[in-house]
Amino acid sequence: MRHVLELSQDGGALTAALIDVESVSGNEAHLADLVEAALRRYPALGVERDGNVVLARTSLGRAQRVALAGHLDTVPTAGDVPSRVDGGRLLGCGASDMKSGVAVQLRMAHLVGSGALDPGTDLTWVFYDCEEVEADRNGLGRLARERPDVLAVDLAIVLEGTSCLVEGGCQGTLRADVTLRGRRAHSARSWLGENAIHAAAPVLAILAAYQPRSVEVEGLTYREGLNAVGINGGVAGNVVPDECTVTVNHRFAPDRSEAEAEAHVRAVFAGFAVEIVDSAPAARPGLDSPLPKAFAAAVGGQPQPKFGWTDVARFAQLGVPALNYGPGDPNLAHKPEEYVELAHIAEAEAALVRFLAG
Amino acid sequence: MRHVLELSQDGGALTAALIDVESVSGNEAHLADLVEAALRRYPALGVERDGNVVLARTSLGRAQRVALAGHLDTVPTAGDVPSRVDGGRLLGCGASDMKSGVAVQLRMAHLVGSGALDPGTDLTWVFYDCEEVEADRNGLGRLARERPDVLAVDLAIVLEGTSCLVEGGCQGTLRADVTLRGRRAHSARSWLGENAIHAAAPVLAILAAYQPRSVEVEGLTYREGLNAVGINGGVAGNVVPDECTVTVNHRFAPDRSEAEAEAHVRAVFAGFAVEIVDSAPAARPGLDSPLPKAFAAAVGGQPQPKFGWTDVARFAQLGVPALNYGPGDPNLAHKPEEYVELAHIAEAEAALVRFLAG
């Protein structure tokens, strides 16, 4: 175990140091301690600990405030700690998701805290816990519920891996169970029953024929989807089943609210028993306002829509424009051979410096 | 535990005594011991023990031989042993399925063994084990494989419950998996995948539209069926699934062989991946030959087709006409409040006496 986290080292070495402190969801306390202690060495940063969330804030009196947010936890390790370098890649649990992003956050804290970087906006750092587990344990979600003022900034950048592309907003997601009912009978006397699995035929036909929308929101094109992600029916090999459930997942563009997405799903399956299992709102990219535009310009390249639900939506629910931008490759998250390109860490650091100095 | 099974008592009391000796599948040895000992008290019966199968045979030199067959085992007890009488009903595990049938078998052994009944045919009693579990443990099936000569009689009566109706032959049964394949993807980027559950839509549509045959065989009308008995697909709530399996059960009339039934199922699902999981042949009712006809006449009433697969098919495979006839109500089998009407036990005993004396 390391007892000091040195933020003056380069981003790659810092990422390695972060990987080497295991922090599987629920066991982030030690890493949070190290991050807190490291940040407290900079008097210009107001540091606060809230559970396993670590907050740091500048008080420069700037007109606007930007949050840099990232989670400290990882999925369970799989023999991939400590980290190792292979060519230009750093391998290890959380390399991509998202200790490299946390390293970039901490590098900004060092540069600002040491006076090497004079930012054009005030800054808030949020390091939080339990992103990789059930949504109701998510540290950022808890903060949004309990202390929304902390998150009420002018732009939030969530440093989840995007391979150094700006990804705007995110899709919403809604899961629903479409349940068919019948009447149970012995399959040797099937005329006494009603087969609930057969009754699912029109539900699957609707799904197979469904044409998802592509929607442009603030210049980004979001593709939607409506998919069966599960189907389950059957009692025994000799029984006409009386129940069959199709679980569908609707991913919807940020021009729709959760309520509108629910209404859409209910309309698609009109006449069937639909129960909403869970849902989370989409987030608009926010690329129509100056600060996100300036960030996109500092990064360069064409912003992309985010396909997937991410914690940016927690900021969006508070009315805060939020972007995904980080050094990790999202396709490597949760994979056994997870890695991050060392060059991407340096690139993300440079882009943030350009933006903050600008 | 009883140490003597007294076959001279009336059928109801004998059924109660049988229920009171627990004989859940795999634990029939003690009951088989008692049955064997009881039968050995009648010198006219040649008794033989084979595993937990007990056989008894007359050697009267008659032109024809009739088998009376029944299984000794029950499904697991559920606080329903010992038996109890409530009004005209005897309650307890196996009351209907099929210790009342075994009691009627044993009553015939007593009447013939004691000389009270002079049968017109020779008789073979078969008491067997493991009917309520996997088919390959079935004691009658083992006998059919290892000693088919024992079962090569002119008529077999299986005393499974039919509420004292003659039920002829049985349907065949065939189970098949129809498997749909796709390509896995994150449900937020569903256009990268192919949804295997959606691909099941036409399979379910075929099942929903399927018109089963009704086929007359030897004067009995068999109704067929083709039903989904299970459907399963799905990887996780955010994944487009790459596999979905529909398990179908085809029940077919005795005018079709297993091979013909398989060909039919493959034709119905032409173009889909079909794997046969298991199958068992149908049995013709045999009501076009004199001995079964005589039995039906002795019972009275209109013979019915058997809907369900029963051990009569094991005789039918050996070319032996076989009927279901027993005192239990088949709808009560495997139910917690299983019972048998005491009057049905007496009625079945009387019908068998009429037939055998005739």
Side-chain angles (χ1 to χ4, degrees):
Chain A
M1 298 265 183
R2 288 157 192 279
H3 294 287
V4 177
L5 206 55
E6 181 49 62
L7 306 189
S8 63
Q9 62 191 323
D10 79 63
L14 183 52
T15 302
L18 291 168
I19 292 171
D20 294 349
V21 181
E22 283 198 36
S23 57
V24 177
S25 309
N27 289 292
E28 302 92 337
H30 182 57
L31 182 57
D33 290 347
L34 291 174
V35 167
E36 180 188 354
L39 292 169
R40 284 197 190 279
R41 296 167 72 195
Y42 301 91
L45 306 180
V47 178
E48 187 186 349
R49 177 72 172 260
D50 180 336
N52 280 331
V53 171
V54 182
L55 298 170
R57 266 170 296 204
T58 59
S59 302
L60 303 168
R62 303 284 194 262
Q64 292 185 298
R65 178 175 288 277
V66 171
L68 302 177
H71 64 84
L72 296 174
D73 61 317
T74 69
V75 294
T77 55
D80 47 1
V81 169
S83 60
R84 61 187 173 90
V85 174
D86 184 0
R89 294 173 173 179
L90 174 65
L91 292 90
C93 183
S96 165
D97 183 13
M98 60 169 280
K99 289 189 170 175
S100 51
V102 171
V104 172
Q105 287 179 273
L106 290 169
R107 286 292 298 155
M108 293 306 111
H110 168 71
L111 294 175
V112 172
S114 66
L117 175 64
D118 183 28
T121 65
D122 267 304
L123 288 166
T124 297
W125 286 263
V126 185
F127 303 91
Y128 59 98
D129 58 330
C130 288
E131 194 270 347
E132 299 290 5
V133 287
E134 315 87 271
D136 58 4
R137 291 172 63 190
N138 184 298
L140 189 66
R142 180 173 64 79
L143 222 54
R145 284 192 303 276
E146 297 174 1
R147 302 179 59 188
D149 54 301
V150 170
L151 305 184
V153 296
D154 300 291
L155 169 65
I157 299 168
V158 178
L159 284 99
E160 285 270 12
T162 63
S163 295
C164 291
L165 292 170
V166 174
E167 295 187 338
C170 73
Q171 297 166 312
T173 177
L174 176 150
R175 255 177 291 273
D177 281 348
V178 184
T179 301
L180 297 310
R181 295 191 195 284
R183 198 167 60 245
R184 207 181 277 206
H186 196 292
S187 64
R189 296 177 288 277
S190 53
W191 54 91
L192 299 177
E194 282 174 38
N195 195 312
I197 296 176
H198 299 189
V203 173
L204 299 193
I206 287 167
L207 286 164
Y210 184 81
Q211 295 291 336
R213 297 189 308 157
S214 284
V215 186
E216 192 177 311
V217 179
E218 297 167 18
L220 302 188
T221 301
Y222 288 84
R223 295 180 70 166
E224 298 191 326
L226 180 64
N227 271 273
V229 291
I231 188 166
N232 210 281
V235 176
N238 60 356
V239 177
V240 173
D242 56 353
E243 190 170 311
C244 179
T245 300
V246 186
T247 303
V248 300
N249 183 206
H250 180 38
R251 300 285 176 149
F252 55 96
D255 67 327
R256 277 192 176 157
S257 68
E258 285 175 272
E260 287 165 340
E262 174 178 341
H264 174 64
V265 169
R266 289 191 184 279
V268 166
F269 297 110
F272 294 97
V274 174
E275 186 190 353
I276 306 300
V277 176
D278 59 34
S279 78
R284 301 184 74 91
L287 289 168
D288 52 354
S289 48
L291 211 49
K293 273 188 184 165
F295 180 69
V299 170
Q302 175 60 38
Q304 302 293 319
K306 182 71 181 179
F307 294 116
W309 194 88
T310 80
D311 277 340
V312 296
R314 301 187 194 278
F315 287 99
Q317 278 184 284
L318 300 170
V320 176
L323 301 170
N324 296 277
Y325 176 80
D329 179 342
N331 298 318
L332 300 174
H334 309 186
K335 296 277 170 67
E337 283 293 291
E338 184 179 355
Y339 66 84
V340 61
E341 302 282 355
L342 290 167
H344 275 175
I345 300 174
E347 179 182 337
E349 192 175 324
L352 275 162
V353 167
R354 279 196 299 277
F355 169 60
L356 295 175
Chain B
M1 297 266 183
R2 290 159 190 279
H3 294 286
V4 178
L5 205 57
E6 181 48 62
L7 306 189
S8 64
Q9 61 190 325
D10 79 62
L14 183 53
T15 302
L18 292 167
I19 292 171
D20 295 349
V21 181
E22 284 197 36
S23 57
V24 177
S25 309
N27 289 292
E28 301 93 338
H30 182 59
L31 183 57
D33 290 347
L34 291 174
V35 166
E36 180 188 354
L39 292 169
R40 286 200 189 277
R41 295 167 73 195
Y42 301 92
L45 306 180
V47 178
E48 186 186 349
R49 178 72 172 258
D50 180 335
N52 281 331
V53 170
V54 182
L55 299 169
R57 266 170 293 207
T58 60
S59 303
L60 303 169
R62 303 285 194 263
Q64 292 185 298
R65 179 175 288 276
V66 171
L68 303 177
H71 63 85
L72 296 174
D73 61 319
T74 68
V75 293
T77 55
D80 47 0
V81 170
S83 60
R84 62 188 171 89
V85 174
D86 183 359
R89 295 173 172 177
L90 175 65
L91 292 89
C93 183
S96 165
D97 183 15
M98 60 166 282
K99 289 190 168 174
S100 51
V102 171
V104 172
Q105 287 179 273
L106 290 170
R107 285 293 299 155
M108 292 306 110
H110 167 73
L111 294 174
V112 172
S114 65
L117 174 64
D118 184 29
T121 65
D122 266 304
L123 287 167
T124 296
W125 286 263
V126 185
F127 303 90
Y128 60 99
D129 58 331
C130 289
E131 192 271 347
E132 300 289 7
V133 287
E134 313 88 89
D136 59 4
R137 291 173 62 190
N138 184 298
L140 189 65
R142 180 173 63 80
L143 223 54
R145 286 192 302 275
E146 297 175 1
R147 303 179 58 188
D149 55 300
V150 171
L151 305 184
V153 296
D154 300 290
L155 169 65
I157 299 169
V158 178
L159 283 98
E160 285 270 14
T162 63
S163 295
C164 291
L165 293 170
V166 174
E167 295 187 339
C170 73
Q171 296 164 313
T173 179
L174 175 150
R175 254 176 293 272
D177 282 348
V178 185
T179 300
L180 297 310
R181 295 192 195 282
R183 196 167 64 245
R184 208 179 276 206
H186 196 292
S187 64
R189 296 177 286 277
S190 54
W191 55 91
L192 300 177
E194 280 174 40
N195 196 311
I197 296 176
H198 298 189
V203 173
L204 299 193
I206 287 167
L207 286 164
Y210 185 82
Q211 295 292 335
R213 298 188 309 157
S214 284
V215 186
E216 191 176 311
V217 179
E218 297 168 19
L220 302 187
T221 302
Y222 289 84
R223 295 180 70 168
E224 297 191 328
L226 180 64
N227 271 273
V229 291
I231 188 166
N232 210 281
V235 176
N238 58 355
V239 177
V240 173
D242 55 353
E243 190 169 311
C244 178
T245 300
V246 185
T247 303
V248 300
N249 182 207
H250 180 39
R251 299 285 176 149
F252 55 96
D255 68 327
R256 278 192 177 157
S257 68
E258 285 175 271
E260 287 165 338
E262 175 177 340
H264 174 65
V265 168
R266 290 192 182 280
V268 165
F269 296 110
F272 295 96
V274 174
E275 187 190 353
I276 306 300
V277 177
D278 59 34
S279 79
R284 300 185 75 91
L287 288 168
D288 54 353
S289 50
L291 211 49
K293 273 188 184 165
F295 180 69
V299 169
Q302 173 61 38
Q304 302 293 319
K306 182 69 180 179
F307 294 116
W309 194 89
T310 81
D311 277 339
V312 298
R314 301 186 193 278
F315 288 100
Q317 279 183 283
L318 300 170
V320 176
L323 301 169
N324 295 277
Y325 176 80
D329 178 343
N331 298 316
L332 300 175
H334 309 187
K335 295 277 170 68
E337 283 293 291
E338 184 179 356
Y339 64 84
V340 61
E341 301 282 355
L342 290 168
H344 275 175
I345 301 175
E347 181 182 335
E349 191 175 325
L352 276 163
V353 168
R354 279 196 300 276
F355 169 61
L356 295 176

